[in-house]
Amino acid sequence: MGFLPIHLLFASFLCFFSVLVSGSGRNFPILDFEEGYNPLFGDDNLIVLKDGKSVHLHLDERTGSGFVSQDLYLHGFFSASIKLPSDYTAGVVVAFYMSNGDMFAKNHDEIDFEFLGNIRGKDWRIQTNIYGNGSTNIGREERYGLWFDPSEDFHEYAILWTQSLIIFYVDNVPIREVKRRARMGGEFPSKPMSLYATIWDGSSWATNGGKYKVNYKYAPYIAQFSHFILHGCAVDPTEQSSTCDHSSKPIPSGMITPSQRAKMESLRKKHLTYSYCYDRIRYKAPPPECVINPEEAKRLRVFDPVTFGKGTRRHHAKIRHYTHAESASA
């Protein structure tokens, strides 16, 4: 067996290295729905298309719907292409997130993409958030306006989670980087989690702090999912291991390239509308991991204050929603 010329070996290394550095999921395998996920709730409101590669989640007066990964993962790259409902979507929440709340009720971890609907003529918004070790007393939300209409076509939303950082991507452009800092203590997600996707009624908080509710005359609201990537180290749930052998599935390092960082900074200047680090109503002093950017603080002051739902955190609301939906449809 002959050896590859040195220039081909170098090219192969560069290709592999670019995947590890950028966090791109383009070279990771795309799964059929049934290869990686199971229905979670919603019965007939979850529809797997004939090709087996796409899923529609419906929300109507009876129930929302959702699915969950078959495996637990400790770190990895996870993504899906999503097309959101159109027209009047106030109160509607579509979520693509990681959680272990079913296993660790009092000290769960969570990494969230939440898409918040709006009244006619107003755009969808993206909210990202993380919890670690049950730290729900500190919401680490950021919100962004979108630079495209997410109801017209599919767009890729991805989470890269490593031992030291979390990066949220939209169409392979990083929009948020969360580094693990010593000042966070145990509040960085560190336990194995499942992947979830759901659509549900968030009327109490999702649009203008609950001012605008879901209007079911526009139902069913349909969120479409495809191009599933689950590239991570699966963990045996009986062991709940906190270590994982990544040799068979290398996890991207999460190093953001200069080009990607420039795009991220430009996007945040144009589209970031809220960050918990600058919320003086919720926090008299910024949470300890925050790095304050005076220009960003000044820019965000022009936006209306963000009102979050009262009472329990939204993760717990999601869990209760599943239970209520299932009992209501029984």
Side-chain angles (χ1 to χ4, degrees):
M1 181 177 178
F3 294 97
L4 283 173
I6 188 66
H7 71 281
L8 291 180
L9 286 172
F10 183 68
S12 298
F13 169 78
L14 285 180
C15 179
F16 177 72
F17 182 74
S18 68
V19 172
L20 294 183
V21 167
S22 70
S24 168
R26 296 180 186 276
N27 294 324
F28 297 146
I30 296 173
L31 302 177
D32 288 353
F33 175 77
E34 293 183 351
E35 288 183 280
Y37 287 99
N38 289 325
L40 177 64
F41 75 103
D43 299 328
D44 295 340
N45 277 13
L46 184 153
I47 300 173
V48 181
L49 273 60
K50 291 182 179 179
D51 65 3
K53 301 179 184 298
S54 302
V55 174
H56 289 184
L57 296 182
H58 290 222
L59 168 66
D60 57 26
E61 288 180 296
R62 184 175 60 90
T63 183
S65 51
F67 55 83
V68 60
S69 62
Q70 296 172 8
D71 290 320
L72 285 163
Y73 296 92
L74 182 67
H75 308 141
F77 181 90
F78 312 98
S79 73
S81 292
I82 305 172
K83 184 178 179 182
L84 298 175
S86 60
D87 200 15
Y88 182 97
T89 55
V92 176
V93 179
V94 176
F96 179 64
Y97 67 106
M98 306 187 72
S99 179
N100 50 31
D102 56 340
M103 297 173 60
F104 303 98
K106 295 183 178 180
N107 62 335
H108 84 282
D109 304 302
E110 190 168 335
I111 305 173
D112 287 347
F113 264 118
E114 289 182 309
F115 306 91
L116 311 178
N118 220 325
I119 59 175
R120 185 179 286 117
K122 299 288 186 178
D123 297 331
W124 281 85
R125 293 136 305 141
I126 297 180
Q127 177 167 288
T128 60
N129 197 9
I130 70 164
Y131 296 123
N133 203 34
S135 57
T136 55
N137 60 314
I138 298 179
R140 293 182 167 88
E141 296 93 347
E142 285 193 350
R143 286 189 182 182
Y144 320 80
L146 287 167
W147 54 101
F148 52 83
D149 184 345
S151 68
E152 286 187 349
D153 205 350
F154 285 89
H155 293 269
E156 182 189 32
Y157 305 91
I159 296 167
L160 173 63
W161 172 38
T162 75
Q163 188 175 3
S164 59
L165 59 76
I166 296 164
I167 301 177
F168 296 87
Y169 296 87
V170 177
D171 290 334
N172 201 37
V173 176
I175 65 169
R176 182 180 183 183
E177 178 184 33
V178 181
K179 294 182 179 179
R180 186 174 196 163
R181 301 181 185 277
R183 288 169 290 180
M184 294 179 72
E187 296 182 1
F188 186 90
S190 59
K191 297 186 292 295
M193 293 188 278
S194 300
L195 268 290
Y196 294 84
T198 59
I199 185 170
W200 52 286
D201 186 329
S203 290
S204 65
W205 67 274
T207 307
N208 290 57
K211 180 179 179 180
Y212 300 104
K213 315 294 185 184
V214 174
N215 188 335
Y216 284 104
K217 78 176 184 179
Y218 299 104
Y221 297 98
I222 303 173
Q224 303 176 49
F225 291 77
S226 67
H227 289 81
F228 302 106
I229 293 176
L230 292 168
H231 184 86
C233 194
V235 174
D236 186 339
T238 61
E239 297 179 1
Q240 299 177 9
S241 173
S242 59
T243 61
C244 205
D245 179 11
H246 293 134
S247 59
S248 60
K249 284 192 174 183
I251 305 302
S253 69
M255 185 185 300
I256 296 177
T257 66
S259 173
Q260 285 182 315
R261 189 165 296 280
K263 289 180 180 178
M264 179 172 70
E265 291 175 355
S266 175
L267 185 149
R268 291 176 67 85
K269 285 181 181 179
K270 294 177 181 177
H271 301 286
L272 180 68
T273 62
Y274 173 85
S275 172
Y276 74 102
C277 285
Y278 305 105
D279 192 332
R280 295 297 178 265
I281 297 175
R282 298 172 76 192
Y283 309 114
K284 293 181 179 180
E289 74 275 7
C290 288
V291 177
I292 300 301
N293 180 329
E295 291 185 3
E296 193 168 68
K298 181 179 179 180
R299 187 170 63 251
L300 293 180
R301 279 199 293 267
V302 305
F303 293 98
D304 294 333
V306 172
T307 303
F308 296 98
K310 296 180 181 180
T312 56
R313 303 302 300 171
R314 286 178 295 287
H315 173 76
H316 298 141
K318 288 180 216 172
I319 297 299
R320 286 203 308 275
H321 178 79
Y322 304 155
T323 304
H324 171 75
E326 292 299 331
S327 63
S329 62

